[in-house]
Amino acid sequence: MKHSETVAVAIDKIWKSYDKEQMWEGYELLRQAAEKGDADACCYLGRCHLGEEFVWCGAEFPVDEELASRLIKESVRLGSADGVLCALRTGNLSPAVRKTMPFASLEEAFTAVQQQAQEGDAFSQYMVGNVLFYGDYLVIRGDEESRKYNSGDEYYAFAYPIAAQYYENSFDNGLPAAFGNYRTIYESGLADIDEEVYENYLKHLELLADTGDPLTCNDYGKLLEDEYDDAEGAFHYYSMAVERGDVQSAYNVAVCYGTGYGVDEDLDKAFENYMIAAEAGNAKAQFQIGNFYFEGRGNIAQDYAKAVVWLNKAYQNMDDEDSWQPAAELAICYQNGLGTFQDDDAAFEFLSEIEENDMLGEVWEPLDAMVLNALGVAYGFGRGTEQDIPQAIEYFDRAIEYDSDEAKQNKACFKKTLFGGWKMR
């Protein structure tokens, strides 16, 4: 079943225009259609509230996962095949929700979207490509399909060529959103994508970027950085994306200024752009702002109170694999009462995250010595954990290797016993 004309117009305004005013016009169309019971409108209105992974942040649609969940579940109940796939991708397709859908199976819903894709609908082509790319296809087809593949590579060898074709069709119909996934498929070598075809889509991406499409500007800048090490080109397109309203791209601009990549190094401009991205919710940018205040970089004066605020935001928003970075600086702040109340339990909790995940070797200078010393203090004096003097001495010695005078002073609070152990003086 095709999208209603209202939903089709709204999708074009929201996912193809990259114009804030048009996107809000599309949003209003979806809202009105959803109120009248249009199932697809409920689905796409829900997507509008799921944040930057689902819709361009430049529209400034409010992120509201609870509202999005309600709308997507309602779209399933009302019979939106798109809604079923969206619910599956976003974790909203519980057994209870599945029981409400008027489809006999997930495969029936998928087939309906596939039909829309074959009839030339760009967003349906994008969605089908994603179903294959992310492996949702295995859930849709069930255990029998899953048993066909002995490994992830075997599945991707099957799925990537089909996904690539759907993505190419979506590009041809004016929706470039999946280029990052398409690039992953090309680089995997698991799909027979002709180099000339790939290069033509690259040129198409460049043309879209030159017309000012902000997300494409950022994607093309990343491509220039990663594949061609074209620093000046990358900086140009990152900057163009920010100028066109993509505040998340300000993070990439900030990195360029901070490292002198494609532009003269300028820590103050780096801070300015990190702040733009941080205020938009970019966790990595929030960490960088916290780090600026923690260390006092450029013309930014050291301010532990501000550092703690931004580091906590970063810690709460970062992926688990990166959260150790703000945890390292927060540990120092809480153990020493810098910019916040002194809290040994909180400090050791942050230190434990670094220790247990074996990230001590990744901590940067001069924070590495500070963290090692902080672990020594925690174990040596029983602050936030049980006392373990031998463990403390080990950490103090490692900190001393980094010329930590503080670790030398702390180690001096302990002495060796006649039997080779350690005790407090």
Side-chain angles (χ1 to χ4, degrees):
M1 182 177 178
K2 291 184 178 180
H3 300 133
S4 67
E5 183 177 349
T6 298
V7 170
V9 171
I11 289 174
D12 283 353
K13 285 180 175 290
I14 295 171
W15 281 279
K16 290 184 180 180
S17 75
Y18 298 102
D19 178 272
K20 183 176 180 179
E21 184 176 342
Q22 286 197 54
M23 291 178 76
W24 274 101
E25 289 175 1
Y27 179 92
E28 184 60 22
L29 288 174
L30 290 178
R31 189 190 65 76
Q32 292 176 8
E35 286 183 350
K36 295 176 181 177
D38 186 311
D40 288 333
C42 290
C43 167
Y44 287 98
L45 190 62
R47 289 182 70 101
C48 289
H49 290 288
L50 283 172
E52 64 173 321
E53 291 185 14
F54 292 84
V55 68
W56 181 48
C57 62
E60 298 181 355
F61 295 143
V63 177
D64 188 334
E65 293 185 3
E66 184 177 344
L67 173 59
S69 178
R70 290 201 306 271
L71 286 164
I72 292 169
K73 290 175 182 177
E74 178 67 4
S75 77
V76 173
R77 187 186 71 80
L78 292 172
S80 169
D82 296 30
V84 172
L85 298 190
C86 190
L88 178 61
R89 181 94 294 269
T90 59
N92 283 296
L93 198 64
S94 66
V97 174
R98 284 183 64 169
K99 288 180 180 179
T100 69
M101 69 182 190
F103 300 100
S105 64
L106 294 180
E107 189 164 3
E108 183 181 333
F110 175 64
T111 300
V113 177
Q114 206 170 22
Q115 181 63 39
Q116 292 174 170
Q118 290 167 355
E119 292 174 359
D121 182 80
F123 210 96
S124 297
Q125 292 162 345
Y126 167 64
M127 291 182 72
V128 172
N130 281 348
V131 164
L132 290 153
F133 181 84
Y134 290 111
D136 294 340
Y137 182 79
L138 295 176
V139 179
I140 292 169
R141 294 297 300 272
D143 293 340
E144 184 176 346
E145 182 72 22
S146 297
R147 285 193 289 268
K148 291 181 180 179
Y149 311 103
N150 295 317
S151 66
D153 281 348
E154 282 192 13
Y155 168 73
Y156 294 132
F158 154 74
Y160 275 5
I162 306 172
Q165 185 61 62
Y166 278 105
Y167 286 150
E168 288 174 358
N169 291 340
S170 73
F171 300 156
D172 293 339
N173 285 305
L175 188 71
F179 192 84
N181 293 350
Y182 182 72
R183 177 182 167 197
T184 297
I185 293 172
Y186 175 76
E187 292 176 347
S188 74
L190 295 174
D192 187 20
I193 300 175
D194 184 82
E195 184 176 351
E196 185 176 347
V197 170
Y198 181 70
E199 291 291 337
N200 284 336
Y201 282 116
L202 280 183
K203 292 176 183 176
H204 180 59
L205 190 70
E206 182 179 5
L207 288 172
L208 284 172
D210 286 337
T211 63
D213 174 339
L215 289 186
T216 306
C217 285
N218 185 66
D219 288 346
Y220 192 63
K222 191 65 177 168
L223 179 74
L224 292 176
E225 178 179 352
D226 291 348
E227 289 198 11
Y228 302 101
D229 195 22
D230 181 353
E232 291 184 1
F235 176 75
H236 168 75
Y237 283 104
Y238 290 151
S239 299
M240 187 185 295
V242 176
E243 290 168 3
R244 294 281 177 168
D246 184 39
V247 291
Q248 295 291 343
S249 298
Y251 175 82
N252 290 331
V253 173
V255 171
C256 290
Y257 275 120
T259 59
Y261 186 78
V263 67
D264 291 339
E265 183 177 322
D266 189 326
L267 291 181
D268 296 327
K269 287 184 178 179
F271 179 84
E272 178 184 330
N273 282 278
Y274 278 133
M275 183 61 80
I276 292 171
E279 289 179 338
N282 185 301
K284 291 183 178 180
Q286 290 169 342
F287 166 67
Q288 289 293 339
I289 294 297
N291 178 259
F292 263 81
Y293 283 122
F294 183 87
E295 294 185 358
R297 296 164 59 190
N299 288 322
I300 303 302
Q302 193 173 57
D303 187 327
Y304 289 116
K306 290 181 179 178
V308 168
V309 169
W310 284 105
L311 291 170
N312 269 313
K313 288 182 179 180
Y315 183 78
Q316 292 164 11
N317 294 328
M318 265 188 168
D319 294 336
D320 290 343
E321 63 185 22
D322 295 321
S323 62
W324 66 270
Q325 298 177 19
E329 293 183 344
L330 284 168
I332 304 304
C333 291
Y334 278 105
Q335 188 178 84
N336 297 286
L338 300 174
T340 186
F341 53 88
Q342 197 272 332
D343 187 333
D344 287 333
D345 291 335
F348 187 72
E349 185 176 339
F350 287 124
L351 290 168
S352 295
E353 181 169 341
I354 303 165
E355 184 183 37
E356 292 171 2
N357 290 303
D358 197 27
M359 300 305 297
L360 285 168
E362 302 299 319
V363 181
W364 56 95
E365 187 181 355
L367 190 65
D368 44 13
M370 298 168 71
V371 169
L372 290 166
N373 177 68
L375 281 163
V377 168
Y379 284 115
F381 300 100
R383 291 176 56 178
T385 187
E386 292 184 5
Q387 189 177 47
D388 185 339
I389 296 176
Q391 182 70 72
I393 297 302
E394 180 181 330
Y395 281 124
F396 286 141
D397 284 341
R398 289 174 65 180
I400 289 168
E401 290 178 6
Y402 290 101
D403 297 322
S404 171
D405 290 334
E406 191 175 1
K408 292 177 185 177
Q409 294 170 11
N410 286 323
K411 183 180 177 181
C413 294
F414 304 88
K415 65 177 182 179
K416 277 191 173 182
T417 67
L418 293 174
F419 301 102
W422 288 88
K423 67 178 183 180
M424 294 188 71
R425 292 186 183 275

